[in-house]
Amino acid sequence: YVTTKATLEPASPLFYGSFCGIKEMAEVGARYFARKSGSKAPKVAVVHLDIASGKEYFDQVSAEMEKVGGTAVAMPIKVTAADATAQVLEIMKAKPDFVALHGVSTTAVLLMRTLQQHGVSLPTVAYTYLGTPTVYSTLGAAAAKNLFFVSCFTPASVGEPGGVTEMSELADKYGLSTMKDDVNFVAGWVTGQLVARAISKAGPAPTRAKVVQALGGNFELDTGGVSSKVRYTNENHLGLSVLRPYGYDFGTKRYVAYGQYGDH
């Protein structure tokens, strides 16, 4: 569920990622919105939890911005924060082209509402964990109009054919319609396919050693568009390395994908 640098380097036979990586979340979000800004020297304000994964997220955003001649400003926030005024005032002072966000759902709600209250209208790209229906419904259309996120998973309401349609129909069949747009549900769907494929490849009498052997080679899983392709090699156990940006259309009550996975 948390695929950080420490879990991947070096590759371990005990860990196989089935969630989007912190590095890729930062890279895709920074690259996409830096390009959309149209600036030759784009600037991003990075609001991140003051924890290890938050610092890793900032470092990766900063590295990506350097590649395009831009800069990143760190604005840490506590996990237990009940107010984001200090961060918003810093954002107003820094005058960035966009905001990158790492945190928990309360972080997203606090930040977006405070930006709205101060009349600050900036694209805000969150990492995967914050693109949930709960965050969007809690904020409402006015406060969430500038909230985007990047993900290696496809919410059901995007409505793409293949695996996404299959997932959506089965979620409806089993009374899970309210969950099928949640990244956690979609991630669970992908992980289920991953486990089933690995055990199948291990043969009729699977053991832990055989499952590890099955995963350790050039393992690949096509989820039919529910996610980007899962790929493992002996040296890389990230699994999901391709992401794309998403937003939410309150008019149609559907998620919107920006491009295909291969575009990013």
Side-chain angles (χ1 to χ4, degrees):
Y1 189 68
V2 179
T3 309
T4 62
K5 183 178 180 180
T7 60
L8 296 170
E9 298 179 8
S12 165
L14 301 180
F15 181 88
Y16 297 87
S18 58
F19 207 88
C20 325
I22 294 286
K23 178 176 184 288
E24 290 70 26
M25 294 180 198
E27 287 178 339
V28 172
R31 187 183 309 135
Y32 181 77
F33 284 93
R35 186 168 64 247
K36 278 185 69 72
S37 74
S39 173
K40 293 182 179 179
K43 187 176 186 180
V44 58
V46 186
V47 178
H48 67 86
L49 294 184
D50 193 15
I51 59 176
S53 64
K55 294 171 183 176
E56 180 181 337
Y57 179 77
F58 169 74
D59 288 343
Q60 297 294 351
V61 171
S62 183
E64 191 62 33
M65 294 299 287
E66 286 183 17
K67 294 177 186 177
V68 296
T71 55
V73 182
M75 298 180 183
I77 188 169
K78 298 293 184 184
V79 178
T80 55
D83 185 88
T85 302
Q87 286 74 23
V88 169
L89 292 177
E90 284 189 64
I91 290 170
M92 294 170 70
K93 182 179 178 181
K95 298 181 180 179
D97 295 289
F98 65 101
V99 177
L101 177 59
H102 166 285
V104 293
S105 57
T106 52
T107 315
V109 172
L110 282 172
L111 181 68
M112 299 310 295
R113 282 181 173 169
T114 309
L115 286 169
Q116 181 192 23
Q117 289 164 5
H118 284 76
V120 180
S121 183
L122 286 170
T124 299
V125 55
Y127 74 157
T128 307
Y129 304 96
L130 303 182
T132 64
T134 301
V135 169
Y136 280 98
S137 62
T138 300
L139 284 169
K145 65 180 180 181
N146 291 318
L147 180 61
F148 305 88
F149 65 99
V150 293
S151 181
C152 54
F153 301 114
T154 308
S157 67
V158 168
E160 293 174 341
V164 180
T165 298
E166 179 188 3
M167 176 182 69
S168 180
E169 290 175 349
L170 282 171
D172 292 342
K173 178 179 177 180
Y174 291 105
L176 302 172
S177 300
T178 59
M179 298 175 66
K180 64 185 183 180
D181 266 343
D182 194 309
V183 64
N184 301 292
F185 179 87
V186 183
W189 181 275
V190 172
T191 301
Q193 290 190 47
L194 170 62
V195 172
R197 176 72 182 277
I199 292 174
S200 175
K201 285 194 69 176
T207 63
R208 170 174 145 172
K210 289 180 181 178
V211 170
V212 169
Q213 184 179 10
L215 290 168
N218 292 316
F219 180 94
E220 184 171 301
L221 173 68
D222 186 342
T223 65
V226 177
S227 70
S228 55
K229 285 187 178 181
V230 182
R231 290 190 177 96
Y232 300 129
T233 67
N234 288 327
E235 296 77 29
N236 190 334
H237 291 178
L238 172 60
L240 291 157
S241 60
V242 183
L243 293 78
R244 62 179 172 178
Y246 292 89
Y248 187 78
D249 185 330
F250 281 89
T252 61
K253 296 183 179 180
R254 299 173 70 94
Y255 279 89
V256 179
Y258 296 100
Q260 303 300 314
Y261 285 113
D263 298 336
H264 303 281

